[in-house]
Amino acid sequence: MASSSVSVLILSIFLFLFSPSPCNAQTSFRPRALVLPVQKDAGTLQYVTKITQRTPPVSLNVVIDLGGKSLWVDCDNNYVSSTKRSVRCRSAQCSLAGNGACTGADTCVAFPENSATRVITSGEVAQDVLTLTSTNGSNPGRSVTVPQFIFVCGATFLLEGLARGAVGMAGLSRSRIALPSQLSSAFSFHKKFAICLSGSTRVPGVLFFGDGPYNLLPGIEAGSSLTYTPLLINTAGVSQGENADEYFIGVKSIRINNKAVKLNTTLLSFDSNGVGGTKISTVNPYTVLETSIFKAVTEAFITEAAAMNMSRVPGVAPFEVCFSSENVVGTRLGARVPQIDLVLQNSNVVWSIFGSNSMVSVNDDKVLCLGFVNGGSEPRTSIVIGGYQLEDNLLQFDLATSRLGFSSTLLGARTTCANFNFASAL
Ligand SMILES: *[C@@H]1O[C@H](CO)[C@@H](O)[C@H](O)[C@H]1NC(C)=O
Ligand SMILES: *[C@@H]1O[C@H](CO)[C@@H](O)[C@H](O)[C@H]1NC(C)=O
Ligand SMILES: *[C@@H]1O[C@H](CO)[C@@H](O)[C@H](O)[C@H]1NC(C)=O
């Protein structure tokens, strides 16, 4: 984005004027919320944001990861900063970073993961200046800094499999060193964040830290009509050291065109080892269903689609269930296809998935595929709601009350996640 080099310039002037201590850059201005752009990468289908770190400031592309424990970046290549500090062993920051593991040289270490490839390494825990953009909910506002933002050093090889140009990942989980916790404590705002992913690979969606309003053009407050469901903690998974910080919700059943799909409901809860349940992921491009759930859902969908005169065509990898687009009419909510409802804590709390989030257009729009993939017979998590199903939906994660607010498709409100006005009023 052209504006980022301008803001880096402005920031450099700002830091210059207020040096030596970057703490001073905060002065007395306390933002209500922060805003970051999130761009879908065409090659990997990952969602990439741009953060500004270091002194002098450097703009970095990092892949967002809802389940990620921390911000990690490649420190081996080109990390130049006068403000980077190592986190010492037995410090408060080191215990925040997790298990407080140390190397001989009194350096705190953690285990950054590339969650797209599931590759993990060990890396130094460090702190450096993070510079962010505040918002009043409608426009970007002035820059603010967190002087000692805790992050983990990854390595150059850990970047393999990430979007081109990405130098790390930004963890948004409930971990105490993930971005939501560190930013809300740095600026004393509510421990909430909201994501609104855009399906466009040209116009970014938006990530907010802090409370709303979340205003999208043309004057739609996307946070004003959310439905809420509890965020669940996979406690059995926690004792296994897994899934501790990820976001689970309680899907109780699935309906297609208002008819219940017959499922093995045991798979929808966690078992004593933390296996099962439903989580939300920005790293999976499409929703992944355990194989028996996948079969039940796709069979029901095919039956309903046939009743709507949709004609099946061969699958197009990674999708198994595809239709000719010929008999399918377009609507404001995407292709008119059977509606998929995820039924949550009771039968009135429903996450409805319409054509814009269920059907993926392939082969020059001649074919529409159901954008769900088969996760095999023994996945750790039975349902992983992936990025495509999240696009143009506002999701607000409230860590203090442990609940998720979701908007359903914003296309119904005649806006999209690409409609935050990033044009600065400066
Ligand atoms: C339902 O799933 C559970 C967990 O995988 C399994 O133990 C059980 O046998 C399944 N029940 C049926 C009827 O398939
Ligand atoms: C499906 O096609 C049949 C035969 O062409 C027609 O009678 C029926 O009305 C169509 N149904 C729908 C839902 O379009
Ligand atoms: C937000 O800030 C912009 C730029 O400073 C201003 O034009 C706009 O009126 C503000 N909106 C609200 C809702 O405060």
Side-chain angles (χ1 to χ4, degrees):
M1 249 168 298
S3 65
S4 65
S5 55
V6 175
S7 55
V8 167
L9 177 65
I10 290 166
L11 174 80
S12 319
I13 295 166
F14 194 69
L15 286 178
F16 175 73
L17 291 175
F18 292 87
S19 56
S21 167
C23 297
N24 293 342
Q26 268 185 54
T27 63
S28 59
F29 175 70
R30 220 185 74 193
R32 288 183 8 185
L34 307 171
V35 67
L36 288 174
V38 180
Q39 180 86 58
K40 187 173 187 173
D41 173 63
T44 56
L45 308 181
Q46 292 163 0
Y47 301 91
V48 179
T49 190
K50 219 179 247 303
I51 56 163
T52 302
Q53 193 200 34
R54 309 174 197 180
T55 307
V58 181
S59 174
L60 306 171
N61 284 350
V62 289
V63 173
I64 65 165
D65 178 8
L66 266 184
K69 287 183 196 306
S70 66
L71 169 68
W72 66 261
V73 298
D74 174 14
C75 297
D76 293 346
N77 186 23
N78 228 356
Y79 197 114
V80 179
S81 175
S82 61
T83 42
K84 177 171 179 250
R85 301 280 177 269
S86 294
V87 162
R88 293 287 150 219
C89 285
R90 291 172 298 278
S91 64
Q93 291 87 341
C94 190
S95 46
L96 273 184
N99 36 22
C102 294
T103 62
D106 193 30
T107 301
C108 180
V109 298
F111 300 92
E113 176 176 10
N114 177 332
S115 49
T117 56
R118 311 305 307 268
V119 174
I120 299 181
T121 186
S122 69
E124 176 198 12
V125 181
Q127 293 174 295
D128 207 338
V129 180
L130 196 66
T131 302
L132 297 128
T133 302
S134 64
T135 182
N136 61 5
S138 302
N139 297 87
R142 58 166 116 169
S143 288
V144 292
T145 66
V146 183
Q148 299 186 311
F149 191 90
I150 302 168
F151 69 101
V152 180
C153 282
T156 307
F157 73 83
L158 202 59
L159 303 177
E160 204 172 296
L162 295 187
R164 201 186 154 123
V167 296
M169 300 184 87
L172 300 176
S173 75
R174 64 174 101 235
S175 144
R176 289 184 299 170
I177 62 162
L179 277 81
S181 292
Q182 284 202 69
L183 296 177
S184 61
S185 47
F187 298 112
S188 317
F189 53 58
H190 287 287
K191 215 186 243 194
K192 286 182 186 176
F193 71 98
I195 56 170
C196 200
L197 300 177
S198 170
S200 165
T201 54
R202 292 178 305 279
V203 190
V206 55
L207 172 58
F208 298 97
F209 295 98
D211 220 335
Y214 308 126
N215 288 318
L216 301 174
L217 296 170
I220 311 289
E221 210 282 83
S224 64
S225 54
L226 300 179
T227 303
Y228 294 95
T229 194
L231 284 169
L232 309 178
I233 296 181
N234 186 343
T235 36
V238 172
S239 65
Q240 312 264 315
E242 286 192 74
N243 294 341
D245 307 312
E246 294 181 279
Y247 299 109
F248 290 84
I249 57 172
V251 172
K252 291 270 180 58
S253 64
I254 299 178
R255 296 195 297 233
I256 295 188
N257 273 356
N258 236 354
K259 294 174 193 140
V261 177
K262 205 167 169 332
L263 302 175
N264 178 350
T265 50
T266 306
L267 295 165
L268 299 179
S269 325
F270 307 127
D271 73 8
S272 56
N273 295 313
V275 173
T278 301
K279 77 173 178 189
I280 306 175
S281 164
T282 51
V283 173
N284 289 84
Y286 304 102
T287 294
V288 184
L289 302 174
E290 179 277 337
T291 202
S292 72
I293 300 176
F294 180 82
K295 288 205 173 90
V297 166
T298 53
E299 275 164 24
F301 191 91
I302 290 164
T303 304
E304 291 301 316
M308 294 168 78
N309 284 345
M310 290 169 59
S311 43
R312 228 167 133 201
V313 298
V316 178
F319 309 115
E320 294 180 23
V321 177
C322 299
F323 302 88
S324 160
S325 58
E326 249 170 31
N327 288 335
V328 183
V329 300
T331 74
R332 193 142 55 84
L333 309 184
R336 188 191 299 282
V337 296
Q339 179 179 330
I340 302 171
D341 289 337
L342 306 179
V343 183
L344 298 163
Q345 65 269 36
N346 65 57
S347 60
N348 301 320
V349 183
V350 174
W351 178 331
S352 294
I353 301 173
F354 301 96
S356 57
N357 290 111
S358 62
M359 305 312 286
V360 181
S361 186
V362 296
N363 296 354
D364 296 330
D365 297 343
K366 290 194 190 72
V367 171
L368 285 172
C369 295
L370 181 62
F372 289 65
V373 296
N374 189 338
S377 61
E378 282 177 344
R380 235 200 115 71
T381 304
S382 303
I383 301 178
V384 180
I385 302 176
Y388 194 81
Q389 278 66 43
L390 306 178
E391 289 171 1
D392 291 326
N393 286 242
L394 181 86
L395 299 185
Q396 185 193 53
F397 295 81
D398 184 334
L399 306 203
T401 60
S402 204
R403 68 175 190 173
L404 172 74
F406 58 98
S407 66
S408 190
T409 181
L410 296 171
L411 303 180
R414 297 181 189 276
T415 188
T416 72
C417 288
N419 279 345
F420 183 77
N421 187 1
F422 277 106
S424 173
L426 278 172

